[in-house]
Amino acid sequence: MAWSMPHSPDPSPMGPLGHLSRAAWLVLGFVFVALGLIGALLPLMPTTIFLILAAGCFARSSPRLEAWLLDHPRFGPTLRAWREDGAIGPRAKIMACSGIALGYALFWWGARPSVAIDLIVGVVMAGCAAFIVSRPSPRLADSNRSEEGSI
């Protein structure tokens, strides 16, 4: 019988490639935070969706950074409302749907698409707007907390 070293368990719960995967999630989280910050400065680029994606990436790589995002005074209430209930506030719904409408108008004006492309883009954008409008509003306790944080 050949001698072999005893099997030592891998300390990483994700296995030997877990560190690589964790690092990739971390880098992706930072990329999404950067895109979210750019979106906070540019009028037509979204912010919240990138921060939701960043929180998901950080949940897989860095609980500390995930907690930082979820506890952020400006963005935290929105991220928590989405995570807990899939909720979008009324003001955010209006802003998102207005952005979709403006984006469609700019697309139509700038691209002068054929009728088929025009209809396809219009239906997709209307579907996105319908999804946004169909989401519940945040619970009262969360919206009070977000109003206090923005004062």
Side-chain angles (χ1 to χ4, degrees):
M1 185 159 135
W3 183 84
S4 65
M5 293 190 60
H7 174 68
S8 60
D10 186 1
S12 167
M14 294 183 263
L17 296 178
H19 295 294
L20 177 64
S21 176
R22 183 173 182 228
W25 285 116
L26 188 66
V27 168
L28 200 54
F30 280 119
V31 167
F32 285 136
V33 167
L35 290 171
L37 292 175
I38 291 168
L41 301 174
L42 296 178
L44 289 179
M45 188 167 167
T47 299
T48 306
I49 187 63
F50 290 120
L51 296 180
I52 289 170
L53 291 169
C57 291
F58 289 149
R60 290 161 180 79
S61 61
S62 173
R64 185 178 58 85
L65 290 171
E66 177 192 23
W68 171 75
L69 268 181
L70 294 176
D71 293 334
H72 191 276
R74 173 78 175 105
F75 303 113
T78 302
L79 298 174
R80 286 190 308 272
W82 176 259
R83 180 172 280 182
E84 293 166 7
D85 301 317
I88 301 174
R91 182 175 178 271
K93 289 179 185 182
I94 290 169
M95 296 294 286
C97 290
S98 298
I100 289 170
L102 180 60
Y104 179 77
L106 291 173
F107 161 75
W108 184 83
W109 178 74
R112 302 284 185 203
S114 67
V115 174
I117 299 296
D118 187 28
L119 286 173
I120 291 169
V121 170
V123 166
V124 169
M125 292 180 122
C128 292
F131 175 78
I132 290 167
V133 170
S134 74
R135 304 311 315 149
S137 292
R139 290 178 278 175
L140 186 56
D142 288 338
S143 59
N144 286 342
R145 198 177 327 146
S146 80
E147 289 173 13
E148 291 170 3
S150 63
I151 294 177

